[in-house]
Amino acid sequence: LALRVALPLPSERARVQEGIFQQPAKGRATTLEYALTVLGGLDILVNNAGGVRAGRLEDTPEVELQAMIDVNLVSPILLTRASLPSLRASGDALIVNISSGIARNRRTVLHDLRRG
């Protein structure tokens, strides 16, 4: 998300977003390449994406469970892996993982797992 703010033109922002959402692997590569070109390197990676579906586990479709896992777990791991060479090259890099407090909501799937 921070990279989107750094993109100078709406047309460029649309091009990068299109790659991110239509083909995730290509989107990671496009975003990283653009950041390296525009910013001249990568010193920090902020993983700040997430989403939780409300409801009981038994009522949550498998496709929604997989979407939560993909967004909250898989995506940050893959973006971090893709960014590691550039982060290491900076010599003083930082990775920040931000999670949501929504898990405290009494009606989330995760809550229902604990309560049965």
Side-chain angles (χ1 to χ4, degrees), residues 19-39:
I20 291 169
F21 295 120
Q22 290 181 354
Q23 299 175 341
K26 184 178 178 185
R28 281 189 302 275
T30 301
T31 301
L32 185 56
E33 177 186 325
Y34 195 82
L36 294 172
T37 300
V38 171
L39 303 174

Side-chain angles (χ1 to χ4, degrees), residues 12-61:
E12 284 297 308
R13 189 169 31 250
R15 181 182 67 81
V16 172
Q17 288 175 346
E18 178 181 318
I20 291 169
F21 295 120
Q22 290 181 354
Q23 299 175 341
K26 184 178 178 185
R28 281 189 302 275
T30 301
T31 301
L32 185 56
E33 177 186 325
Y34 195 82
L36 294 172
T37 300
V38 171
L39 303 174
L42 191 61
D43 298 314
I44 184 169
L45 172 65
V46 179
N47 288 312
N48 185 28
V52 174
R53 312 299 198 276
R56 298 188 60 81
L57 178 60
E58 61 267 24
D59 298 330
T60 305

Side-chain angles (χ1 to χ4, degrees), residues 36-88:
L36 294 172
T37 300
V38 171
L39 303 174
L42 191 61
D43 298 314
I44 184 169
L45 172 65
V46 179
N47 288 312
N48 185 28
V52 174
R53 312 299 198 276
R56 298 188 60 81
L57 178 60
E58 61 267 24
D59 298 330
T60 305
E62 187 173 332
V63 68
E64 288 189 21
L65 293 171
Q66 189 61 53
M68 284 189 286
I69 292 167
D70 288 347
V71 168
N72 296 320
L73 178 64
V74 177
S75 293
I77 290 170
L78 294 176
L79 186 56
T80 299
R81 183 178 70 177
S83 301
L84 283 175
S86 299
L87 290 167
R88 286 188 178 120

